[in-house]
Amino acid sequence: MASEIRLAFSHPSERSEATATTTPLDRISVRDHTVEVEIGAFQAERGVTQRVCFNIVVEVRPLTGPIDDDVDRILSYDKVTEAIAFELADERLNLLETVAERVADRILLEPQAMRVFVRVEKLDRGPGALGVEIVRSRETVVAAAAPEEETLHPELVYLSNAAIASPHLTGWIDQLAAMGRPLIFCVGPTDVAAPQADHPLAQRRVDLLAIEQNAWVLAARDARCKVVDTRTELDWAMRNGQICVWAPSKIVLDAVDGPSAKGADAVALASWFAATFDAREMLVIGDDGPVDAPVKLRTVPVSQATL
């Protein structure tokens, strides 16, 4: 028992050695690799960075021939630190468990990597280090791997408030649904002025929530429309024929390279979202299209019943 407790708090290299298989494997390690990143599920962790420390050990298959002092023949330390940097830059994450899992999976894509120990710790959340440690092997990753799915290109439709209130709304949804494409609606805030906050991060939250209130207004106008706020549910909905209304707060606030548009600039925000989800086109009903739209753009006046 004492040995197990000691190993639980030892460096991953000691755990790797203690749990080694009969087949000899080499090990490479990265110790105390510390980066500053915005991460965390608590509101106090948003809008600020904190130090996160990585200790990683990778068990690798020994090379069958001479190394010849050639860096291209080995699994370089850079591959480990690049995996960390890639996953932290991909999107804002809430959980260290998610970070550890994704870093481990990316490292195990390397042909030599057989097993990886990942310890991730927050250094600024208390008097000590708070973290998680996981072990993943090539076998578990291969077993869990799913075949790549076809990338979907949704029809993204921005509705002005006049469009939401229009008697043509049901007809427009009928026409769009008949196209047989994944369909996502975006809206702006209601015509009622949102509260004003003294801090820009607070105001961004208020503006995004104002948009989400209007999303529920649209959903109430037509039962086919479901308010959705996560990438996972959006992907499921697109593959299963569900019409979505985008609630933007989670995806916008979790984005590492988020939209420059303010929450109140809803058309530009929808344009960013259209590019993020590889939309086939962006249809704007009852408003001007965004400047320099990153996807194909089409605008329709509210008075036009046929799209």
Side-chain angles (χ1 to χ4, degrees):
M1 178 63 72
S3 175
E4 292 177 0
I5 294 174
R6 183 188 66 79
L7 281 173
F9 290 94
S10 297
H11 188 270
S13 61
E14 295 184 55
R15 292 192 61 194
S16 170
E17 183 176 356
T19 59
T21 62
T22 54
T23 303
L25 296 172
D26 296 339
R27 301 185 188 93
I28 67 170
S29 65
V30 173
R31 291 175 179 257
D32 300 331
H33 179 79
T34 303
V35 297
E36 287 204 8
V37 64
E38 183 185 338
I39 188 172
F42 292 174
Q43 183 58 38
E45 295 176 290
R46 290 191 176 274
V48 297
T49 60
Q50 56 184 301
R51 292 177 301 151
V52 176
C53 180
F54 291 82
N55 281 279
I56 296 177
V57 172
V58 187
E59 294 179 341
V60 299
R61 182 188 297 111
L63 295 174
T64 56
I67 297 176
D68 293 330
D69 205 32
D70 184 355
V71 70
D72 290 337
R73 296 212 63 214
I74 65 167
L75 195 161
S76 168
Y77 309 111
D78 290 341
K79 294 294 186 180
V80 178
T81 56
E82 285 171 6
I84 295 170
F86 181 91
E87 296 302 337
L88 292 179
D90 188 42
E91 64 175 313
R92 186 196 182 283
L93 297 174
N94 291 327
L95 303 178
L96 291 182
E97 288 85 350
T98 306
V99 175
E101 188 82 34
R102 293 188 181 183
V103 169
D105 287 350
R106 180 158 294 275
I107 291 172
L108 287 169
L109 293 176
E110 297 296 326
Q112 276 187 271
M114 303 302 294
R115 191 165 66 151
V116 59
F117 294 73
V118 180
R119 176 181 290 175
V120 192
E121 298 170 305
K122 292 182 180 180
L123 303 182
D124 300 326
R125 287 293 292 169
L130 307 175
V132 301
E133 183 171 325
I134 68 170
V135 183
R136 295 292 183 271
S137 67
R138 175 172 296 277
E139 290 78 11
T140 58
V141 171
V142 170
E148 291 189 8
E149 295 181 305
E150 176 189 2
T151 300
L152 299 176
H153 301 283
E155 182 81 10
L156 189 133
V157 182
Y158 179 86
L159 296 174
S160 68
N161 288 337
I164 295 173
S166 171
H168 299 314
L169 178 64
T170 299
W172 290 330
I173 297 176
D174 290 342
Q175 294 174 54
L176 292 164
M179 294 180 181
R181 304 171 186 168
L183 180 58
I184 303 175
F185 286 109
C186 292
V187 300
T190 64
D191 292 327
V192 178
Q196 297 301 300
D198 293 332
H199 194 282
L201 290 178
Q203 188 60 51
R204 188 169 182 78
R205 277 276 192 170
V206 170
D207 292 340
L208 291 170
L209 288 172
I211 292 173
E212 295 190 1
Q213 287 179 321
N214 216 15
W216 286 102
V217 171
L218 172 58
R221 290 288 315 276
D222 193 300
R224 291 172 290 180
C225 300
K226 307 298 182 183
V227 178
V228 175
D229 64 353
T230 67
R231 291 176 179 270
T232 299
E233 190 173 0
L234 279 164
D235 185 70
W236 180 91
M238 288 192 294
R239 297 183 186 282
N240 289 274
Q242 177 181 292
I243 299 174
C244 298
V245 186
W246 181 43
S249 290
K250 179 171 175 54
I251 290 175
V252 170
L253 295 172
D254 286 353
V256 173
D257 185 17
S260 57
K262 296 180 179 179
D265 190 357
V267 180
L269 192 64
S271 177
W272 170 83
F273 178 70
T276 300
F277 272 77
D278 296 321
R280 183 186 304 271
E281 71 169 358
M282 179 175 176
L283 172 63
V284 179
I285 303 178
D287 208 329
D288 296 327
V291 178
D292 300 326
V295 299
K296 179 184 176 183
L297 177 67
R298 187 159 58 100
T299 59
V300 172
V302 172
S303 58
Q304 185 171 319
T306 302
L307 301 177

